[in-house]
Each structure stands twice: as structure tokens, then as C-alpha cells.
Amino acid sequence: MEDDSVGHVEILKRRSFGETRRRDAWWGQPVAVFLGLSAFIVYSTWAAFQGVEYTFGPYLSPFYAPELFGDSPHSWFGPKPGLWPSWMPFSPALLILWAPGGFRFTCYYYRGAYYKAFAADPLACTVGEGRKSYRGEGSFPFILQNLHRYFLYIALVFIALLAFDVWKAMWFTDPATGQAAFGIGVGTLVLLTNVILLGTYTLSCHSLRHLLGGRRDEASKAAAAFVAYRCVSCINRRHMLWAWMSLCSVGFSDLYVRLCAKGIWVDWRIL
Ligand code: FES
């Protein structure tokens, strides 16, 4: 009886930070997430501040789409506003990247991943934590993570705009006539793949599933809503996969356009 009680106490004893009986490489995933996200943040920040070489022919880097103000033919409202403070760096990407950045930052999957990878909080299942209490995300600043649903609405608009950019990436100016002619280049396929992966990531969002499921998160009896709920639930199971694939594709799309604009890569025409 006494032995049992001693055993009980041992099981309930709080582990010290990093203490565990796990023998597997539990630290591998947080390290991989740390390296992957760090690489993306460094590259995307660098690319966003460049403000040049973000277009090539009909291609527009997704980091700069939509281009609200800028010098390229893709700009909606013309060049940089005259009221822009001269001391403040200008890049079309800085005007819009808060939206997709906020969407990813507040994503349920990424939250779990970067809390572990960047704050070691928690480190991993059955691994001792440094913190002694848990207050969840109910107070400032973590309560702002609830903005995710609103970032989702904006992200859906961005997906539609990026899809339109793919359509525009199929029209190349003929140097002889100056007329736009239909064609497909490798860059068109890069941008198409990117919008498919970004769209799948966005449509697999947990918040969209809850929105379609209503308050009880159950499939609606209306046929269209039922089909939509089932589709979103299906791709939602691989949300982590879509998160990483779309992150890689959006970074690669910018790199592709940038290296073509620099003349380092050649954009091969397929059609
Ligand atoms: Fe990841 Fe919404 S939960 S995008």
C-alpha cells in the first residue's frame, strides 16, 4: 500500500524543464520548424524591402500582389503616393503583406508549431515545461489570435486576386506587334501551382470548417453547405502539409520572378 502511494507520488511529480523519459528524437520537429520558419521570415523580409525586380513580363511576385501602388504595369493606383513620408522606406509589398502574414501568424497549426519552436512552450508532449501555470489565449496579447477568422475573409479575397494574376500571367506581349498573345511559360505554371497550394491551405482552415459547420460544428442539412463542409473537413486533415507546401511555393514564386527579372534564370516558354 505504501509502495503504491510512493509510486503515485513519483508519477505526479512535476518534471523540470526539458526532463523526459522519451527516447525518440522529440526535439527534431521543433528544430525543423524553427529553421524552416526562420529561413522564410528572413527571406520574405528581405524580399519585401527590395521594392524592385518583383515583376517579369506578365508575372507578378505573390509577395507584391495585389500591387496597390508601385511603378510596374501591375499597379492598381499608379506610383507611390506623393504624401508618402520621404524618411519611410517604400515597397508595394509592405502595403499588403500584413494580411497573408497575419493569416499565417494566427493559424491554429502555426501557433502550436511556433509556440514550441520559438518559445519552447510547451517543448513537446511529456517533456517538462519551464512555465508553472497555464492561462491559455484568453488575455492580451494572445487574445488577438482570435482575429484569425477575419484574416481568413481577407485571405479568401487574396486567393481570388492571385488566381486572376495567373490568368494575366498567360498573356505575353509580342515584341514585334506590341499586342498581348496567349502563352504559357514555366513562370505561369509556378504561379498556378502557388495559387493552388495557397488556395488549398486557405480552404483547409479550421475557422472555415467551423464557419460552415455553424455553432455546433456539424454539417448543415442544406445540400450545398453539407458538401462544402465535407470538402473542407477532408482537406483540413492535411492542414499542416498544405501550410508548409504553400509556404515553400509562395517563397519560390517570388524567387523565380526575381531571378528571371535579374536575368539569372531564363523563363522557358511552353506554349
Ligand atoms: Fe490554419 Fe486557419 S487554422 S489557416
Side-chain angles (χ1 to χ4, degrees), residues 103-104 106-111 148 152 201-202 204-208 236 239 243:
F103 183 55
R104 283 195 190 257
T106 57
C107 163
Y108 289 84
Y109 161 67
Y110 279 118
R111 274 144 69 175
H148 186 62
L152 167 64
Y201 167 61
T202 305
S204 67
C205 172
H206 292 74
S207 289
L208 184 59
N236 175 263
H239 191 58

Side-chain angles (χ1 to χ4, degrees), residues 24-44:
D24 62 327
W26 57 266
W27 44 267
Q29 193 167 344
V31 168
V33 168
F34 179 83
L35 294 176
L37 286 183
S38 297
F40 182 80
I41 291 167
V42 169
Y43 175 76
S44 58

Side-chain angles (χ1 to χ4, degrees), residues 17-161:
F17 181 67
E19 182 186 351
T20 184
R21 290 184 176 176
R22 286 177 65 169
R23 299 276 176 91
D24 62 327
W26 57 266
W27 44 267
Q29 193 167 344
V31 168
V33 168
F34 179 83
L35 294 176
L37 286 183
S38 297
F40 182 80
I41 291 167
V42 169
Y43 175 76
S44 58
T45 305
W46 173 83
F49 275 96
Q50 295 307 297
V52 291
E53 295 171 333
Y54 55 88
T55 67
F56 181 72
Y59 307 151
L60 174 63
S61 160
F63 283 174
Y64 287 74
E67 184 182 0
L68 299 178
F69 293 96
D71 296 327
S72 91
H74 297 270
S75 173
W76 286 13
F77 304 116
K80 177 177 88 171
L83 293 174
W84 193 267
S86 56
W87 52 267
M88 195 183 288
F90 176 82
S91 163
L94 300 178
L95 300 178
I96 53 104
L97 273 188
W98 59 270
F103 183 55
R104 283 195 190 257
F105 188 79
T106 57
C107 163
Y108 289 84
Y109 161 67
Y110 279 118
R111 274 144 69 175
Y114 69 70
Y115 287 164
K116 287 188 183 80
F118 287 83
D121 186 13
L123 265 173
C125 289
T126 72
V127 179
E129 299 179 10
R131 191 164 35 75
K132 303 240 179 326
S133 63
Y134 177 68
R135 290 187 301 158
E137 294 177 317
S139 58
F140 185 81
F142 297 105
I143 199 166
L144 295 178
Q145 301 280 29
N146 290 313
L147 292 173
H148 186 62
R149 171 182 292 205
Y150 302 100
F151 279 119
L152 167 64
Y153 300 145
I154 303 172
L156 290 169
V157 175
F158 270 55
I159 294 299
L161 295 174

